[in-house]
Amino acid sequence: MVHKEKGIMKKRIFLIYIGAVLLAGLLYGCGGNVPAGGERVVTETADGSERKTRSEEAILEQLAKGDIQVPVGDLADYGSGMALIDEDEPEQMVYSLVMPQIPESDDAYFYLFLAECYEDMQGLSGEPVAVWKKGRTSEVSFDYEEEYLFKQFIPAILVEGKYVPVGSGAYLLNPEMLAKNQDSYPDIRSKKGVLLDPTMLGTKELTDLEVKHTIYNIPLSTLMGETTDEAYPTIVYTFEGKEYHFNGKVVNDYDGLFSYLETLGMCSTAVVLNDWNDAHIEMIHPKARNPKSGAYYYMFNTQEEEGVKTLEAVAGFLAQRYSSGEHGMVHNWVIANEINQFKTWNYMNTKDLTYYAQEFEKSFRIFYQAIKSNYANARVYFSIDHDWNSNHGNSKNYFNARDLLAAFNDAVRAHGNYDWGIAIHPYPEPLTRVNYWSVESDKTQDAEVLTIMNLNVLTDLLGQEEYLDTEGEIRSITITELGFSSKSGEKLQAAAFAYCYFIVDANPHIDAFILNRQTDAPEEVVSGLAFGLYEYNHSEKYLKEVFCYIDTDRAQEYVTFMLNILGAESLEEALSWAE
């Protein structure tokens, strides 16, 4: 199997074993089928002699009584559930539930309900998707339906005629089992990448760079809605019986882009951005609907049904479109931009970090479920900037990235761990600084700023047990934006890039380094940020040649000039500064 389920399967095997022991020793049912009333259950000793015979009615009565009376108000988080596609029978789902003790209820059964991320978990209604006998450890199997992909599974018991949740909602934890594309993630020999200049596509200014990682933005306002160009008809996408419209011209342009990059052997990353869209205000969270906020992008709407359904449709459309190779491939997805900067890059009118993280995690999981259910080994990230711990407890303008990570991880674990990744933007402070190595870096968790010189701060945090991925490993980390200005000199810029690349190349936890950007952006240059390999008129900088060869056998040609600028005796010494 190519999906990441080793740790989960160990848990399932353990649960099944414990369930069998309890069934034999305590006569507590844990099967997926509700037995017919009056059936006799016989428990035997190891030598086969009959010791005890009890009627099924007596067993059900005992299960209804349970081991303990738990106040209704304490039941919501009492049990821990897990929902998985069955590996041997992918058309089946298995839901496992672990309880500290069996709570008393009206009858002997657990009931499993579905809930949307925006719904009140206490108001369970409708028909349960599964019913099975109570037990301290139990599991139930049932047919998988497409609608389950984005749903939470809520276990409940019947108390005084009402269904009461006995555990947090659990999402499907192995959506990759559903993917048609089970290809491995591409084996990329280089970590070198760049933010593309679209005017250079199809030219030697791009192909000469020998880039292996590229990144491109998908602002949803351009994607959604009907086509105005008659040559490219509107694309109609049906999701849960409703039609959603996408701009045929815009989609065609992305098709061409991702197909072209695939032919060049590049590993593509797409950044999904929720910009303001008067025609689709339902995409904006109710607490973010302020077009005068001055923000560039906005929090996704996970609070209202229409917004959630539109979001699921958008995620499903993009994931299907760019997972098969028919329209090009996207191997990595970044959902939103620098989410700790909630005033500018992912706007929401709140100072409540926990609430903010919970709402963002809901939207992130929607994209994750859609992407992984189409391409099993895609990687899905959210981005943070370098403000690791610099607001000193005042979250008026932004959250500390460190605090945001903790809150996001808590939101994830409340509903089932999955393999989210981190896209970091570890710029120097200030952004115009190029000789970043000349500033002493705090390498503890109290560091105010996360830069290329103290990446251990992030990896140390993610190495803690509660942050590990589903296989018990440090999560995927990639640098999706980082650049150094040429305003202080082109050779200084080139040396800063080379040193950064060598640091990243030596770090086993960092998957890629995507340079910002291929060509200078005028709006950045006026602020002193000339990050490009090329000037705005496409003339080459000194950095261009260094960039071309930094990941080849000619890389050593540029070490001496770099060390002279850094003031280091050797590459080993320079690398030790960033350890």
Side-chain angles (χ1 to χ4, degrees), residues 57 67 267 375 406 491 513:
E57 289 89 341
D67 299 330
C267 186
Y375 174 25
K491 285 196 172 183
F513 166 24

Side-chain angles (χ1 to χ4, degrees), residues 140-407:
V140 61
S141 298
F142 49 95
D143 292 340
Y144 174 77
E145 303 287 345
E146 287 187 9
E147 66 178 290
Y148 296 169
L149 181 62
F150 301 112
K151 299 283 199 304
Q152 297 181 69
F153 294 89
I154 314 289
I157 56 176
L158 198 60
V159 179
E160 297 181 355
K162 295 182 179 180
Y163 293 111
V164 178
V166 290
S168 299
Y171 290 92
L172 174 64
L173 293 185
N174 59 343
E176 60 272 18
M177 285 291 299
L178 303 169
K180 291 182 179 179
N181 186 351
Q182 294 284 334
D183 292 345
S184 299
Y185 187 83
D187 183 13
I188 307 297
R189 66 174 180 84
S190 170
K191 297 185 180 183
K192 183 175 73 179
V194 70
L195 172 63
L196 296 173
D197 179 347
T199 68
M200 289 185 170
L201 295 175
T203 70
K204 66 180 182 64
E205 281 81 7
L206 173 59
T207 55
D208 285 354
L209 297 177
E210 292 292 330
V211 175
K212 298 305 178 185
H213 299 269
T214 60
I215 194 165
Y216 215 83
N217 293 337
I218 302 181
L220 294 183
S221 67
T222 65
L223 182 75
M224 301 175 67
E226 298 189 5
T227 310
T228 55
D229 189 332
E230 294 182 358
Y232 301 93
T234 298
I235 296 174
V236 179
Y237 179 77
T238 302
F239 174 72
E240 293 189 353
K242 182 178 179 179
E243 292 185 349
Y244 295 85
H245 295 166
F246 296 97
N247 188 304
K249 178 61 170 66
V250 172
V251 173
N252 180 76
D253 290 345
Y254 282 120
D255 291 351
L257 170 68
F258 293 129
S259 295
Y260 170 67
L261 298 177
E262 186 180 11
T263 63
L264 295 181
M266 296 185 187
C267 186
S268 293
T269 298
V271 185
V272 182
L273 300 168
N274 194 30
D275 54 336
W276 188 267
N277 187 348
D278 286 327
H280 288 280
I281 196 70
E282 77 276 6
M283 291 290 289
I284 309 295
H285 196 283
K287 290 186 177 295
R289 290 179 186 155
N290 179 10
K292 298 181 180 180
S293 66
Y296 294 98
Y297 307 112
Y298 296 79
M299 176 71 84
F300 291 107
N301 183 6
T302 54
Q303 192 173 96
E304 300 171 329
E305 180 178 5
E306 184 182 9
V308 169
K309 290 303 169 184
T310 305
L311 184 59
E312 291 172 354
V314 169
F317 173 76
L318 288 172
Q320 289 180 26
R321 190 89 182 174
Y322 301 115
S323 290
S324 67
E326 180 181 355
H327 304 287
M329 280 293 298
V330 173
H331 299 96
N332 308 297
W333 297 85
V334 180
I335 311 305
N337 182 57
E338 295 185 354
I339 66 168
N340 57 305
Q341 297 289 342
F342 69 95
K343 286 291 188 181
T344 51
W345 294 112
N346 194 54
Y347 178 74
M348 187 177 187
N349 184 22
T350 183
K351 295 179 183 178
D352 186 337
L353 172 60
T354 299
Y355 175 68
Y356 177 87
Q358 289 171 345
E359 291 300 287
F360 177 74
E361 193 276 331
K362 292 177 186 177
S363 63
F364 184 89
R365 197 185 290 252
I366 286 172
F367 277 103
Y368 183 91
Q369 299 293 86
I371 292 164
K372 297 290 279 188
S373 64
N374 281 277
Y375 174 25
N377 290 293
R379 295 176 182 174
V380 192
Y381 305 87
F382 64 88
S383 72
I384 56 175
D385 75 348
H386 66 181
D387 282 313
W388 182 251
N389 200 42
S390 60
N391 73 16
H392 304 288
N394 183 0
S395 296
K396 179 180 179 181
N397 296 313
Y398 64 92
F399 296 124
N400 287 327
R402 171 188 177 183
D403 297 335
L404 188 281
L405 275 179

